[in-house]
Amino acid sequence: MIWIPLLLACSWAPSEPQAPKRPNIVFVFSDDHAQAAISAYGGHLNHTPHLDRIASEGMRFDQALVTNSICTPSRATLLTGLYSHRNGVPVFNRFDGSQDTFPKHLQAAGYYTAIVGKWHLGSDPTGFDHWEILPGQGAYWNPVLYTAEGQATHQGYVTEVLTNLALGVLENRPKDKPFLLMCHHKAPHRNWQPSPRYAAEFSKRTIPEPSTLFDDYATRGAALHENRQTIARDLTRFDLKLEPPTDLQGDERNRWLQSVPDAVEIEVDGEKRVLVGEALVRWKYQRYLQDYLACVQSVDDSMGQILDYLDQHGLAENTIVIYASDQGFYLGEHGLYDKRFMYEPSLHMPLLVRWPGVTPPGSVQSALTLNIDFAPTLLAMAGLQAPFGMQGRSFVPLLRGQVPTDWRQSMYYRYYHDPGHHNTRAHYGVRTATHKLIRFYSRDEWELYDLVHDPLELHNVIADPDQAQQVVELKAELERLRHEFQDDDRFQDAQPPDGVDGSVKKLRNGQ
Ligand code: CA
């Protein structure tokens, strides 16, 4: 009786082996989301069940690093697979959309390509069948979104608006094509305006402080001392959501909101207290983190809705889900907020990938992965070769749990925007698994950190005689990388072309 099913099996078998079905790709990209604010990364600040689900069903990248820790350059690098000095966006420059980008290749290969949310590149998107983008930074409430046809105001909270638009793309996409959906959230970017639900919930919480909140910058060079992204000296009343006196109007009111309070009156158990000094810094930290984490919670909900959609529509098995952010962020480490510096909290970005049948569930990857790798990786996922000249490398082998023997052992970083919005000194540097060497070149100051013995980067050991050989080797490696990536200092003194942040530019063709 055995021959019957065999015969049936033979008669039903296709005459030729079928090519594997090309996977769909959902790429969710948030703005300024630190690894420390995702519970899958082992932090104790919040609980993010939906992001954690990607990690538990896929791979968590612990050493995913950005090559220039700031919004607009990171987005240009994502699209091109190139360092800032090669894609022409070292600061807030307008992105030349005629460049080669990975969505163009996916589109040409038959993918339906769509992006919704933050774009922040000063020119209209190219390579997308559908785009719906926030102008500049976009608004937290009732955001305007631009499309190729015009613009529209959407009522509601931006993270929820963008989620609904992303789900609409999935719903209305052509069903006969594989798709790339990029959902780029505005949150949790400054000034951290949460939805009322989470604002109320997080306002009751006491967030653990980082051990370096009161870092005194001893042993460090001028750059940290001069920076203007500290919780103590730079968070404004607007950031802290303080209410202006009712008699202030117009410019006077704005000046009040943009100023930094050196004392704040609060009420505890019906009793009024005035906070100054360290107590005030601690209060500012709580206000900042409560709002930041509340914003993250909506991003986590968004991820949950997208994962649910994939489940409910039979798409989960053949859809790669990627979650990342354009860089990391300081959540009080070294007394800071914001990004820019090459120190660990802003150098790292979160990166979680679920690829059913490929990523071992619950796996952790510690190989150095860079944002220049996104473009070649997304192409490789679709079975496409990266075009000649892309500077990143596909990390698909890492997703399979295999680290090629010639995988990078060091990375090159460069930040340009000096003084920028936070009086940050331009710098470049090299990071290995164990050390980091930074050169603040406008002052010719160097910093060296031993990441094994000093993971919090509190001790600059550049002048330590025991490190002399290490310094020689790292300087040589830095020069090797600068040569390999063809950084000829062409943007040494890069500034935004019109002296303003791209966030306030009009995003129309020809403007
Ligand atoms: Ca950002």
Side-chain angles (χ1 to χ4, degrees):
M1 294 300 287
I2 286 172
W3 64 271
I4 296 174
L6 273 179
L7 182 66
L8 287 173
C10 290
S11 66
W12 287 347
S15 55
E16 291 178 7
Q18 282 190 331
K21 209 172 157 192
R22 291 184 296 175
N24 307 305
I25 302 169
V26 171
F27 185 88
V28 179
F29 204 50
S30 58
D31 195 345
D32 295 356
H33 192 179
Q35 280 188 355
I38 295 178
S39 40
Y41 275 97
H44 303 289
L45 298 177
N46 59 348
H47 180 50
T48 49
H50 305 297
L51 294 172
D52 292 8
R53 183 181 163 198
I54 305 175
S56 66
E57 295 174 0
M59 183 172 282
R60 184 189 87 199
F61 287 76
D62 282 1
Q63 302 296 337
L65 311 178
V66 292
T67 50
N68 182 3
S69 182
I70 189 163
C71 306
T72 298
S74 171
R75 287 153 204 277
T77 290
L78 162 66
L79 293 172
T80 59
L82 297 172
Y83 269 91
S84 303
H85 61 270
R86 292 290 303 283
N87 63 35
V89 188
V91 285
F92 292 104
N93 316 75
R94 185 186 178 99
F95 179 67
D96 173 4
S98 70
Q99 294 185 66
D100 211 5
T101 64
F102 82 84
K104 289 182 182 177
H105 287 265
L106 289 180
Q107 189 181 42
Y111 270 71
Y112 176 72
T113 57
I115 183 166
V116 298
K118 186 168 173 181
W119 175 251
H120 206 197
L121 286 165
S123 57
D124 287 353
T126 52
F128 293 96
D129 296 303
H130 175 88
W131 55 267
E132 208 155 357
I133 57 169
L134 297 166
Q137 299 280 11
Y140 266 107
W141 288 95
N142 304 331
V144 171
L145 281 126
Y146 288 160
T147 66
E149 291 79 37
Q151 64 185 68
T153 302
H154 297 252
Q155 297 300 311
Y157 183 59
V158 68
T159 306
E160 293 164 8
V161 167
L162 296 178
T163 305
N164 288 335
L165 291 174
L167 295 176
V169 166
L170 294 178
E171 191 68 21
N172 299 318
R173 75 189 198 281
K175 306 293 193 296
D176 58 344
K177 287 180 160 193
F179 64 83
L180 163 73
L181 167 64
M182 303 177 82
C183 177
H184 287 203
H185 286 296
K186 170 186 172 56
H189 192 280
R190 192 183 181 194
N191 77 330
W192 319 295
Q193 294 182 30
S195 71
R197 173 189 167 196
Y198 288 126
E201 185 180 325
F202 278 80
S203 69
K204 300 186 194 85
R205 296 197 188 178
T206 302
I207 315 296
E209 290 174 4
S211 62
T212 61
L213 182 60
F214 293 98
D215 185 355
D216 62 4
Y217 305 156
T219 76
R220 266 65 64 79
L224 261 178
H225 292 272
E226 293 171 353
N227 92 83
R228 298 301 307 272
Q229 56 183 67
T230 67
I231 288 172
R233 293 180 280 114
D234 303 301
L235 282 180
T236 66
R237 290 183 163 101
F238 183 63
D239 293 325
L240 297 163
K241 320 297 181 329
L242 290 168
E243 279 296 321
T246 49
D247 57 336
L248 290 185
Q249 301 294 328
D251 287 348
E252 221 183 350
R253 184 175 188 274
N254 286 337
R255 273 197 298 278
W256 189 94
L257 283 168
Q258 293 308 324
S259 63
V260 174
D262 52 14
V264 165
E265 187 178 88
I266 61 163
E267 201 171 298
V268 181
D269 300 330
E271 200 177 304
K272 288 192 171 164
R273 282 190 206 165
V274 177
L275 301 177
V276 295
E278 282 199 3
L280 179 60
V281 175
R282 293 203 149 97
W283 179 86
K284 288 178 179 179
Y285 169 80
Q286 291 298 326
R287 285 301 298 116
Y288 159 40
L289 261 289
Q290 285 164 349
D291 284 347
Y292 178 95
L293 296 174
C295 287
V296 167
Q297 218 58 38
S298 290
V299 173
D300 187 64
D301 284 347
S302 169
M303 196 70 250
Q305 284 181 263
I306 291 171
L307 292 176
D308 284 349
Y309 185 97
L310 299 178
D311 287 339
Q312 290 158 8
H313 292 79
L315 292 166
E317 276 306 300
N318 195 41
T319 300
I320 300 167
V321 177
I322 303 169
Y323 181 83
S325 187
D326 60 347
Q327 13 53 221
F329 214 66
Y330 295 97
L331 304 181
E333 299 94 343
H334 309 295
L336 302 177
Y337 67 95
D338 217 74
K339 51 257 183 182
R340 300 159 194 271
F341 284 116
M342 196 188 166
Y343 306 122
E344 295 291 273
S346 57
L347 181 66
H348 282 72
M349 59 183 164
L351 176 58
L352 306 168
V353 183
R354 183 183 80 176
W355 188 353
V358 175
T359 44
S363 51
V364 175
Q365 180 57 257
S366 58
L368 287 176
T369 317
L370 307 182
N371 58 348
I372 53 172
D373 298 335
F374 279 131
T377 300
L378 287 154
L379 291 174
M381 286 169 164
L384 301 173
Q385 286 284 333
F388 180 75
M390 270 192 184
Q391 294 182 305
R393 181 171 176 180
S394 163
F395 56 79
V396 165
L398 305 186
L399 290 167
R400 298 185 191 283
Q402 301 151 2
V403 181
T405 52
D406 61 347
W407 194 255
R408 69 172 67 85
Q409 300 295 312
S410 64
M411 65 83 68
Y412 177 56
Y413 178 88
R414 184 159 187 171
Y415 171 82
Y416 296 85
H417 201 195
D418 181 351
H421 302 103
H422 295 278
N423 202 37
T424 309
R425 297 284 86 84
H427 54 289
Y428 54 65
V430 55
R431 185 192 185 281
T432 67
T434 59
H435 288 82
K436 185 185 294 176
L437 179 74
I438 309 174
R439 181 182 181 224
F440 293 93
Y441 49 86
S442 61
R443 295 181 176 275
D444 200 22
E445 285 187 344
W446 294 82
E447 293 183 2
L448 173 69
Y449 296 95
D450 178 339
L451 301 173
V452 176
H453 298 103
D454 178 28
L456 299 179
E457 299 172 294
L458 289 168
H459 307 287
N460 169 22
V461 290
I462 191 73
D464 183 343
D466 291 345
Q467 300 291 336
Q469 186 56 32
Q470 186 67 246
V471 171
V472 168
E473 289 172 15
L474 284 171
K475 283 186 175 177
E477 180 63 5
L478 179 59
E479 280 314 303
R480 188 191 71 75
L481 290 169
R482 281 167 53 73
H483 180 74
E484 178 184 336
F485 291 110
Q486 301 168 295
D487 186 356
D488 56 6
D489 294 327
R490 74 183 66 180
F491 292 115
Q492 174 101 8
D493 302 311
Q495 293 294 328
D498 51 6
V500 297
D501 178 340
S503 62
V504 296
K505 287 178 192 166
K506 293 276 184 190
L507 256 178
R508 295 286 78 190
N509 276 326
Q511 288 187 25

